[in-house]
């Protein structure tokens, strides 16, 4: 039976409710988790237990991006001054509540990893740059205690880094009004694109460091991991599209988000995600020969393009998804 | 009294919990609605909704090819039994009233994250632009129900297009109407178990 009575007007009046601030937060959270997953898994399987440039870079990104992400998360609230209510009222059927619980554990963990990975630099800073012996002594004590539990702390951090990446996907994949978001691949897509962003950010940050302290392995690892991650990302986006194309009427309708004649957000996908995010790194590295592929321009350009691609993907899904909901 | 029952007498609060819960709901009858929108005005004055916003509206769904058959439809919270807004609210500000089981808000705990707005498949929730808190039609829970009154829109309707009551009480008006009239729910396939019932107008002409 066709619906005999239904309504098409809603109280959002076609506006996108969750906008760019949520999108930026999703990228920062993914970048934080992705960077730490790569660096800590690498450390776990490596005999080299020194604080490598890769680990230092990832530790800086891991802590700073998630902390900065909180600014956007709170700023997006309509009652930002009451954000603390979320810390004292838990509802464990809510992905947001579960996410807040995970973040409350994850941020201290990233700080611990940061303190251990940059031990020498931090101590040096308070000894020679700003001479505060009290802070220096306290930090030394704290870091020495932390180091006794280092393998456990790092293992739990890997676990929570995966949780953070995946939860950002679940956060919006539960929204049944939006077929583009309400898919099973979103959490894993966000984990994989979080890895891509984390690797790109770590590479950009450590490029200068590696010019001074060459480590062919770590630097090569970041370069080698880039392509399988991108391949997985493309595969997952293809799966998402196929599931919509072959889906029910609601899902087919949501495909309009990819259609440039019907959706302005389609430009963000084809230009930002496909063109900049995948096209620029692939062509710079494989189309113009050995010299271009190994230039530092290509390194910086691919890294920045990857980050822009990941940002475009999150923004496209949010805006395109919310524009073509069921109604 | 406590002595006679060995101290096991139920308080009125406990009795409410033991007795089958009410399932408060509403019927919107499309065959009776004329689209006068007096329900909308009543809602605004009862619930102090900002002028530019609504907890409920009457949408004109008249087929442009058949304008003689005017068709309206009520747009408002469907009072789902499996309400996604309640499930996703991180502070439990959006909740079901412990006594009347109606989806409503505890505004004090609302942080305005708008998760409930995007989670609602019917798009019938909004952030009140004056209070910055999320809001939905809760059958005038605090403003009228708890004073023993019918929702404002129901009282304002001159055409009996809205009927409100307890679907779990077989003697209630709403139950009696439901037992004889064909009604539908909005998108029950979404698994939200909406409570609102709609009587569709199916007659197209003479």
């Amino acid at each position: 039976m066709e619906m005999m009575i239904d309504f098409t007007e809603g109280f959002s009046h076609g506006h996108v409710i969750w906008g760019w601030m949520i999108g930026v937060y999703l990228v920062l959270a993914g970048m934080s988790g992705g960077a730490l997953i790569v660096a800590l898994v690498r450390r776990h399987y490596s005999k080299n237990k020194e604080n490598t440039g890769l680990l230092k870079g990832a530790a800086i990104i891991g802590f700073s991006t998630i902390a900065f992400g909180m600014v956007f998360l709170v700023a997006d609230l309509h009652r930002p001054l009451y954000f603390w209510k979320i810390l004292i009222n838990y509802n464990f059927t809510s992905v947001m509540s579960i996410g807040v619980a995970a973040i409350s554990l994850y941020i201290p963990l990233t700080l611990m990893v940061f303190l251990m990975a940059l031990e020498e630099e931090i101590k040096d800073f308070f000894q020679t740059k700003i001479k505060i012996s009290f802070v220096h002594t306290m930090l030394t004590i704290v870091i020495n205690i932390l180091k006794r539990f280092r393998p456990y702390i790092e293992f739990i951090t890997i676990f929570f880094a995966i949780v953070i990446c995946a939860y950002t996907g679940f956060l919006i994949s539960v929204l049944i009004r939006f077929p583009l978001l309400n898919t099973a691949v979103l959490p894993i897509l966000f984990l994989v694109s979080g890895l891509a962003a984390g690797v790109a950010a770590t590479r950009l940050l450590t490029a200068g460091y590696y010019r001074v302290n060459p480590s062919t392995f770590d630097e090569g690892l970041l370069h080698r991991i880039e392509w399988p991650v991108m391949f997985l990302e493309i595969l997952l986006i293809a799966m998402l599209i196929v599931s919509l194309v072959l889906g029910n009427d609601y899902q087919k309708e949501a495909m309009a988000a990819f259609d440039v004649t019907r959706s302005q957000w389609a430009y963000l996908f084809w230009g930002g995600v496909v063109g900049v995010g995948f096209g620029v790194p692939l062509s710079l590295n494989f189309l113009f020969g050995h010299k271009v592929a190994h230039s530092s321009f290509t390194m910086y350009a691919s890294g920045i393009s990857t980050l822009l691609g990941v940002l475009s993907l999150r923004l496209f899904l949010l805006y395109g998804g919310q524009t073509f909901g069921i109604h | 009294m406590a002595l006679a029952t060995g101290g096991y007498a139920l308080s009125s609060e406990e009795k409410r919990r033991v007795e089958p819960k009410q399932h408060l709901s509403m019927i919107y009858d499309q065959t009776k609605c004329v689209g006068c929108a007096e329900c909308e005005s009543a809602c605004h004055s009862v619930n102090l909704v900002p002028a530019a916003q609504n907890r409920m509206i009457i949408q004109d769904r008249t087929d442009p090819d058949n304008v003689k058959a005017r068709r309206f439809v009520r747009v408002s919270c469907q009072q789902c039994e499996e309400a996604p807004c309640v499930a996703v609210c991180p502070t439990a500000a959006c909740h079901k009233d412990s006594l009347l089981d109606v989806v409503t808000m505890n505004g004090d705990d609302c942080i305005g994250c708008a998760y409930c707005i995007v989670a609602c498949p019917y798009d019938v929730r909004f952030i009140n632009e004056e209070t910055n808190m999320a809001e939905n039609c809760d059958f005038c829970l605090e403003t009228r129900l708890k004073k023993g009154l019918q929702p404002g829109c129901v009282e304002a309707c001159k055409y009996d297009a809205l009927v409100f009551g307890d679907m779990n009480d077989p003697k209630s008006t709403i139950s009696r109407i439901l037992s004889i009239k064909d009604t539908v729910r909005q998108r029950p396939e979404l698994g939200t178990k909406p409570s609102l019932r709609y009587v569709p107008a199916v007659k197209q002409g003479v």
Side-chain angles (χ1 to χ4, degrees), chain A residues 17-39:
Chain A
I17 301 291
W18 272 11
W20 65 269
M21 280 202 264
I22 297 288
V24 170
Y25 163 70
L26 297 177
V27 174
L28 291 172
M31 202 189 293
S32 168
L36 283 176
I37 291 168
V38 172

Side-chain angles (χ1 to χ4, degrees), chain A residues 201-323:
Chain A
T202 310
R203 253 192 117 202
L204 289 172
L205 190 69
T206 56
Y209 177 91
Y210 280 123
R211 203 161 299 137
V212 188
N213 311 293
S215 158
T216 44
F217 184 81
D218 272 1
E219 209 183 354
L221 175 78
L222 288 177
H223 194 43
R224 278 197 309 279
I225 201 172
E226 211 173 355
W227 309 119
V229 167
M230 188 186 286
F231 173 75
L232 266 180
E233 214 181 330
I234 295 169
L235 190 70
L236 288 165
I237 292 171
M239 286 175 176
L240 176 67
I241 291 174
V242 169
S243 77
L244 293 179
V245 171
L246 301 181
N248 59 34
D249 279 354
Y250 295 145
Q251 291 168 314
K252 289 192 180 108
E253 174 60 23
M255 268 306 290
F258 293 90
D259 181 350
V260 286
T261 61
R262 295 187 58 190
S263 152
Q264 52 183 324
W265 312 116
Y267 293 104
L268 197 58
F269 178 78
W270 296 110
V273 181
V274 178
V276 176
F278 302 138
V280 170
L282 283 173
S283 48
L284 282 177
N285 280 281
F286 298 109
L287 278 188
F288 304 109
H290 188 83
K291 205 178 161 196
V292 173
H294 288 84
S295 66
S296 65
F297 168 77
T298 293
M299 198 283 300
Y300 284 109
S302 321
I304 291 166
S305 309
T306 303
L307 291 182
L308 288 175
V310 173
L311 179 65
S312 304
L313 177 67
R314 302 290 207 275
L315 292 178
F316 165 72
L317 287 171
L318 273 178
Y319 284 86
Q322 288 177 74
T323 306

Side-chain angles (χ1 to χ4, degrees), chain A residues 6 12 94 171 177 250 327, chain B residues 61 88 115 117 120 123 187:
Chain A
D6 64 354
S12 303
S94 165
L171 184 70
R177 176 150 44 112
Y250 295 145
H327 53 73
Chain B
R61 291 285 276 151
V88 301
Y115 205 8
I117 315 287
C120 174
D123 192 14
R187 302 189 193 286

Side-chain angles (χ1 to χ4, degrees), chain B residues 77-96:
Chain B
C77 174
Q78 300 295 302
Q79 287 291 333
C80 307
E81 288 178 70
E82 305 280 338
C85 53
V86 173
V88 301
C89 179
T91 62
C94 176
H95 67 284
K96 287 204 172 189

Side-chain angles (χ1 to χ4, degrees), chain B residues 112-181:
Chain B
C113 68
Y115 205 8
C116 59
I117 315 287
V118 284
C120 174
Y122 303 101
D123 192 14
V124 289
R125 300 178 60 83
F126 62 99
I127 300 276
N128 183 311
E129 60 190 22
E130 283 165 14
T131 63
N132 284 320
M133 299 166 186
E135 222 171 282
N136 69 304
C137 161
D138 57 3
F139 296 147
C140 302
L141 182 67
E142 299 295 336
T143 45
R144 294 181 60 93
L145 280 199
K146 289 194 174 170
K147 295 173 188 157
L149 300 166
Q150 296 256 309
C153 54
V154 177
E155 198 182 75
C157 183
K158 295 185 204 139
Y159 303 91
D160 289 335
L162 294 170
V163 179
F164 173 81
D166 176 11
M167 291 202 296
N168 280 352
D169 174 5
K171 284 184 241 130
S172 68
T173 313
I174 192 168
S175 296
R176 289 164 155 192
I177 293 174
L178 287 172
S179 67
I180 54 163
K181 281 218 176 184

Side-chain angles (χ1 to χ4, degrees), chain A:
Chain A
M1 182 180 76
E2 291 264 307
M3 202 60 175
M4 298 185 285
I5 177 169
D6 64 354
F7 53 83
T8 54
E9 268 181 48
F11 297 161
S12 303
H13 307 290
H15 294 298
V16 168
I17 301 291
W18 272 11
W20 65 269
M21 280 202 264
I22 297 288
V24 170
Y25 163 70
L26 297 177
V27 174
L28 291 172
M31 202 189 293
S32 168
L36 283 176
I37 291 168
V38 172
L40 292 177
V41 169
R42 148 98 179 96
R43 185 177 146 82
H44 181 75
Y45 286 106
S46 160
K47 286 198 182 70
N48 179 5
K49 295 296 183 195
E50 285 168 29
N51 287 330
T52 61
L54 167 64
L55 182 65
K56 287 175 186 173
I60 293 169
I61 289 162
F63 173 64
S64 59
T65 54
I66 192 73
F68 189 46
M70 291 299 106
V71 176
F72 289 93
L73 206 53
V74 172
D76 192 63
L77 300 176
H78 286 84
R79 305 213 313 155
L81 294 179
Y82 291 89
F83 80 94
W84 49 271
K85 295 261 187 188
I86 207 171
L87 301 169
I88 56 168
N89 298 307
Y90 274 91
N91 171 16
F92 282 102
T93 60
S94 165
V95 179
M96 194 183 284
S97 247
I98 297 167
V100 166
I103 290 170
S104 307
L105 294 168
Y106 178 70
I107 291 181
L109 285 167
T110 60
L111 181 61
M112 291 183 214
V113 169
F114 173 80
L115 287 176
M116 290 185 288
L118 285 107
E119 186 187 354
E120 298 97 64
E121 286 81 358
I122 292 168
K123 282 184 183 168
D124 187 56
F125 183 77
F126 285 106
Q127 208 161 27
T128 56
K129 299 268 166 47
I130 301 176
K131 289 181 186 168
I132 311 175
S133 61
F134 169 72
V135 176
H136 179 261
T137 324
M138 286 301 292
L139 276 172
T140 310
I141 295 169
V142 169
I143 293 172
N144 284 341
I145 294 171
L146 288 178
K147 274 159 78 182
R148 288 167 60 186
F149 306 101
R150 185 161 188 174
Y152 307 105
I153 292 173
E154 289 180 343
F155 189 79
I156 300 168
T157 307
I158 295 173
F159 173 75
F160 275 98
I162 296 169
V163 169
I164 293 297
C165 286
Y167 118 81
T168 57
F170 284 114
L171 184 70
I172 57 175
S173 77
V174 299
L175 305 178
I176 54 176
R177 176 150 44 112
F178 311 118
L180 184 59
L181 305 179
N182 187 212
T183 64
V185 300
L186 216 61
I188 187 78
L189 174 60
F190 277 19
L191 174 58
V192 172
S193 73
L195 280 173
V199 168
T202 310
R203 253 192 117 202
L204 289 172
L205 190 69
T206 56
Y209 177 91
Y210 280 123
R211 203 161 299 137
V212 188
N213 311 293
S215 158
T216 44
F217 184 81
D218 272 1
E219 209 183 354
L221 175 78
L222 288 177
H223 194 43
R224 278 197 309 279
I225 201 172
E226 211 173 355
W227 309 119
V229 167
M230 188 186 286
F231 173 75
L232 266 180
E233 214 181 330
I234 295 169
L235 190 70
L236 288 165
I237 292 171
M239 286 175 176
L240 176 67
I241 291 174
V242 169
S243 77
L244 293 179
V245 171
L246 301 181
N248 59 34
D249 279 354
Y250 295 145
Q251 291 168 314
K252 289 192 180 108
E253 174 60 23
M255 268 306 290
F258 293 90
D259 181 350
V260 286
T261 61
R262 295 187 58 190
S263 152
Q264 52 183 324
W265 312 116
Y267 293 104
L268 197 58
F269 178 78
W270 296 110
V273 181
V274 178
V276 176
F278 302 138
V280 170
L282 283 173
S283 48
L284 282 177
N285 280 281
F286 298 109
L287 278 188
F288 304 109
H290 188 83
K291 205 178 161 196
V292 173
H294 288 84
S295 66
S296 65
F297 168 77
T298 293
M299 198 283 300
Y300 284 109
S302 321
I304 291 166
S305 309
T306 303
L307 291 182
L308 288 175
V310 173
L311 179 65
S312 304
L313 177 67
R314 302 290 207 275
L315 292 178
F316 165 72
L317 287 171
L318 273 178
Y319 284 86
Q322 288 177 74
T323 306
F324 296 93
I326 62 178
H327 53 73

